[in-house]
Amino acid sequence: MLLFHFLPPFSGMSESAMTVLGLFIGVLLLWLFVAIDWPSLVLLAGLMTVPEWKTADVFAASFGSPTVLCLLFTFVLTHALAETGVLRRIAVAFITCRPARRGPWHFVALYFAGILFLGSFISPTVLFFLYLPMLEEMYAVLGLKKGDPAAALLMMGTVIMTGISSGMTPIAHVFPLIAMNAYEVYAGVPVSVGRYLLLAVPVGLVTAAGMLLLFRLLLHPDPNAFHPDRAERLKERLFQEKNAEEVSTVDSLDERALTSQYTDGQMHRARKVVGVFLFVLFLWIAPDLLVRLIPLQGVQQLFSTLHRLGPAFPPLIGCVMLALFSDDGKPLLYLDKAFREGIAWPAILMCAGTGALGWALTQPTIGWSDWLAAHLSSLASSFSPALLFFFFALWASLQTNLSSNMVTATVVSAAAIGALPQLLGISGELLLSMIGMLSAYAFATPPAMPCVAIAGSSGWTTTRQMMRYGFLAMLIGVVVASAWACCLNALFLG
């Protein structure tokens, strides 16, 4: 991290760009092999030494980032939801539904399919935090321990399927929309949503199926860990008593937690907490999902205001509501307890570091993005159509797994737009759609998405394991996306 500042800059790159590159490589190695908390602080300190920026700018891009604040408030919300115990019921009902009873791998496939379906309409951050507390409850119900391959499969699969689902549609997903908007500005016509879905949905389904197969062949989880009979026995024990004493925490696996039942007071409290959570979820989804379905002017203005307030506003309001509302004279949530017990602070530090790093790599005063686009786009103009799709697919996938989705969607789209006049036999609409789709396939390294950092620090899987299977998923996505894009390119231009 210190050496690159003293190296002679690469051709066309400034000294500050070399400093940022050294910090990026160094902190990535520390994140992968040492720790995720204090290296993030070292990264922030290093970025503050770059002469082009002020300390306040780095803090604004890190701890002041809406993503970090959204992460913080969502941790508090999910902690309150977990304390109600309702997630245990959801987890048990999910894994004992009729299709899941056909076998262990039916259960895993249905779990992944649910993520893919919901993720097609919900942003990846919202989706992951919707599933994270439920996943913790499933671990408790199934009796899985940290270090079990089956537990690692579920955590890694949740992260990977979240990334895949966010590329399957442009609904409420900013990364595909960045690339699609870049093509619209260049060509003067919008990307067809139908053509985007024709590319993205088959690629997403095939990639997800390929990862399920790799998990089964390489990870070798114990099938009995997912056996529906095991969950069914726990369900019987969970509901066998109609009136049981109150359980103070849902994380406990003792006999009292497994055999307890809600009292009327507990159920009333749980409904209030769930209602607040659903209200926050509505505030997240409504601006992007319903804005085109409800043409009323007043509703349009409301959704526009919600969209302008950003993703951190709904969970902030949810935290305030939980602290204000009470049940039987007690608040639904004690904020001091939630901040002590419900927040994964290492993940917060890492999210702040990755946000600042993504901001630094795209600053025009550094010139890193311009240098990357200029060198790689000129190289791409000499490739055949098949190699071009593979080249941009590999570039987008590698960069989104090493930096951030927005950086990838912006940089790679800009490079592709710059190279399009020299690219013969290529559908620009299809190429930009593929770049936007693969910009969402971020699930290998902690800088890619906050959920990768959270999974790696959770104990259910490791950063190294997440990187290994994340890159395997990335390679499957690259091969499937480039091959299918070539077929569609011949169809569109034929």
Side-chain angles (χ1 to χ4, degrees):
M1 299 175 82
L2 297 175
L3 176 64
F4 268 67
H5 178 73
F6 301 100
L7 291 177
F10 300 145
S11 177
M13 190 179 292
S14 65
E15 291 183 3
S16 296
M18 291 293 292
T19 300
V20 173
L21 179 61
L23 290 170
F24 171 60
I25 296 174
V27 79
L28 181 61
L29 293 174
L30 289 174
W31 277 335
L32 293 176
F33 301 108
V34 182
I36 67 171
D37 43 16
W38 65 265
S40 301
L41 299 179
V42 173
L43 170 65
L44 297 180
L47 291 176
M48 292 175 188
T49 65
V50 179
E52 285 84 354
W53 304 323
K54 298 178 181 179
T55 300
D57 297 331
V58 178
F59 274 122
S62 54
F63 292 105
S65 166
T67 301
V68 174
L69 297 176
C70 179
L71 189 63
L72 180 70
F73 298 136
T74 309
F75 271 139
V76 176
L77 278 176
T78 54
H79 174 74
L81 191 62
E83 279 199 326
T84 65
V86 70
L87 294 177
R88 182 179 301 277
R89 289 171 166 254
I90 295 175
V92 173
F94 184 87
I95 61 179
T96 56
C97 66
R98 182 172 298 177
R101 296 176 187 174
R102 298 178 181 176
W105 288 103
H106 286 79
F107 157 73
V108 178
L110 283 170
Y111 177 73
F112 288 169
I115 298 175
L116 292 175
F117 176 75
L118 291 177
S120 298
F121 311 99
I122 302 176
S123 73
T125 302
V126 176
L127 178 68
F128 181 75
F129 285 111
L130 182 65
Y131 265 86
L132 184 59
M134 177 175 156
L135 184 58
E136 293 284 349
E137 293 303 313
M138 289 170 59
Y139 287 144
V141 169
L142 293 173
L144 296 176
K145 306 296 182 181
K146 292 183 177 181
D148 290 345
L153 184 151
L154 292 178
M155 179 60 75
M156 290 191 294
T158 301
V159 174
I160 292 173
M161 299 304 157
T162 296
I164 292 175
S165 68
S166 61
M168 289 176 65
T169 74
I171 302 173
H173 300 139
V174 65
F175 320 122
L177 290 174
I178 290 175
M180 295 168 71
N181 181 68
Y183 178 78
E184 183 175 356
V185 171
Y186 166 78
V189 293
V191 174
S192 168
V193 175
R195 289 193 174 188
Y196 182 90
L197 296 177
L198 186 61
L199 168 72
V201 172
V203 171
L205 294 177
V206 174
T207 303
M211 274 314 299
L212 180 62
L213 181 62
L214 283 184
F215 278 139
R216 185 169 185 175
L217 295 178
L218 301 181
L219 196 57
H220 302 297
D222 181 9
N224 291 325
F226 307 125
H227 204 283
D229 291 342
R230 187 177 183 183
E232 187 65 30
R233 289 195 299 270
L234 290 177
K235 181 180 178 181
E236 293 172 357
R237 295 175 62 187
L238 181 64
F239 299 139
Q240 67 184 1
E241 296 182 10
K242 185 175 182 180
N243 296 311
E245 58 182 324
E246 182 176 353
V247 178
S248 60
T249 174
V250 298
D251 294 326
S252 173
L253 289 178
D254 58 19
E255 186 71 17
R256 192 163 61 95
L258 289 173
T259 59
S260 65
Q261 173 65 296
Y262 285 124
T263 63
D264 291 340
Q266 286 176 299
M267 181 62 73
H268 191 255
R269 184 184 185 89
R271 285 173 179 170
K272 288 184 177 181
V273 175
V274 172
V276 171
F277 188 82
L278 292 177
F279 176 70
V280 172
L281 193 61
F282 171 78
L283 294 181
W284 261 324
I285 300 173
D288 295 312
L289 189 61
L290 302 179
V291 67
R292 294 179 178 86
L293 300 180
I294 305 178
L296 298 178
Q297 184 176 1
V299 176
Q300 293 280 330
Q301 291 178 349
L302 174 62
F303 289 158
S304 177
T305 302
L306 288 174
H307 186 79
R308 178 179 56 82
L309 291 173
F313 179 75
L316 170 61
I317 293 298
C319 292
V320 173
M321 293 172 65
L322 290 174
L324 285 177
F325 296 163
S326 62
D327 184 77
D328 196 21
K330 298 179 181 179
L332 297 180
L333 176 69
Y334 291 97
L335 283 178
D336 56 344
K337 180 182 178 183
F339 272 75
R340 287 195 313 268
E341 302 176 1
I343 299 177
W345 288 106
I348 294 291
L349 294 178
M350 186 168 205
C351 185
T354 56
L357 183 60
W359 168 83
L361 289 172
T362 54
Q363 289 304 295
T365 55
I366 294 299
W368 169 252
S369 298
D370 295 337
W371 181 88
L372 192 64
H375 283 74
L376 292 182
S377 60
S378 60
L379 175 66
S381 61
S382 61
F383 290 163
S384 66
L387 282 177
L388 274 171
F389 279 113
F390 181 80
F391 171 80
F392 278 105
L394 184 61
W395 179 5
S397 297
L398 279 174
Q399 185 169 337
T400 199
N401 280 285
L402 295 176
S403 57
S404 73
N405 312 80
M406 291 188 180
V407 173
T408 299
T410 303
V411 172
V412 184
S413 296
I417 291 296
L420 273 180
Q422 290 82 36
L423 304 182
L424 302 178
I426 291 292
S427 168
E429 179 184 22
L430 190 60
L431 179 62
L432 269 294
S433 296
M434 184 189 70
I435 291 172
M437 174 190 67
L438 292 177
S439 295
Y441 281 37
F443 27 63
T445 66
M449 281 288 284
C451 60
V452 183
I454 294 168
S457 61
S458 66
W460 298 109
T461 185
T462 64
T463 302
R464 192 176 302 184
Q465 193 176 39
M466 193 73 243
M467 181 180 67
R468 184 185 307 124
Y469 284 93
F471 276 121
L472 285 174
M474 183 205 77
L475 290 176
I476 294 176
V478 167
V479 173
V480 174
S482 54
W484 183 235
C486 282
C487 296
L488 293 179
N489 186 70
L491 178 65
F492 294 164
L493 299 181

